[in-house]
Amino acid sequence: MKNFFFVTCLALLLSSCYSVERNCKDFQIGTFEFTYEINGETKTGKSVRTDSLSIDYYDSKIDTFTIRWVNECEFVGRKLHPIDFVDSKPIQMKIISTKDNTYLLEYSLLEDPKTKKRGTVTKIK
């Protein structure tokens, strides 16, 4: 029992020293570059984001999303001109951590945790 108490205290002490950097305000507006995968091929896209719009350039396409910030680190995007019902579903995006000019992003269709993915985004402007 003594060993269990000691190990628990040590684990709590070590985990309390680690904090994830999240300077989300720095990444709300700007021009960003991201990588994504289609059929096993990694590609690069670009996104230009204002406080209420995101214009995404990827795979020879351009999509415009309206965005609504839920808090400093999370926003919901909805296509401005969806082509069908599935395309009209909102996407939830959450900044998990930041470092220098990059951030780790977790995204999924709103309220659909089965579609959750992660990616790294770099701010270029």
Side-chain angles (χ1 to χ4, degrees), residues 19-28 72-73 95-105 121:
S19 66
V20 175
E21 182 180 341
R22 282 185 17 154
N23 297 321
C24 300
K25 281 253 186 212
D26 296 342
F27 295 97
Q28 288 183 346
E72 275 190 13
C73 297
I95 298 173
I96 303 298
S97 65
T98 64
K99 184 173 182 177
D100 301 326
N101 66 333
T102 65
Y103 65 90
L104 178 62
L105 176 71
V121 180

Side-chain angles (χ1 to χ4, degrees), residues 43-117:
K43 299 184 176 195
T44 302
K46 185 173 103 173
S47 180
V48 178
R49 190 164 58 227
T50 68
D51 61 341
S52 61
L53 285 176
S54 179
I55 303 169
D56 295 353
Y57 304 86
Y58 61 96
D59 205 28
S60 302
K61 296 178 187 175
I62 301 173
D63 276 332
T64 303
F65 294 83
T66 59
I67 58 173
R68 180 180 53 83
W69 287 92
V70 178
N71 58 47
E72 275 190 13
C73 297
E74 188 173 345
F75 66 92
V76 175
R78 185 183 294 268
K79 276 195 181 180
L80 200 54
H81 303 289
I83 52 178
D84 58 25
F85 175 72
V86 174
D87 206 34
S88 70
K89 291 186 176 185
I91 299 171
Q92 182 174 14
M93 305 218 184
K94 186 175 185 179
I95 298 173
I96 303 298
S97 65
T98 64
K99 184 173 182 177
D100 301 326
N101 66 333
T102 65
Y103 65 90
L104 178 62
L105 176 71
E106 185 174 85
Y107 59 97
S108 65
L109 292 176
L110 189 64
E111 299 178 0
D112 190 355
K114 296 179 297 193
T115 62
K116 191 176 287 188
K117 296 182 181 178

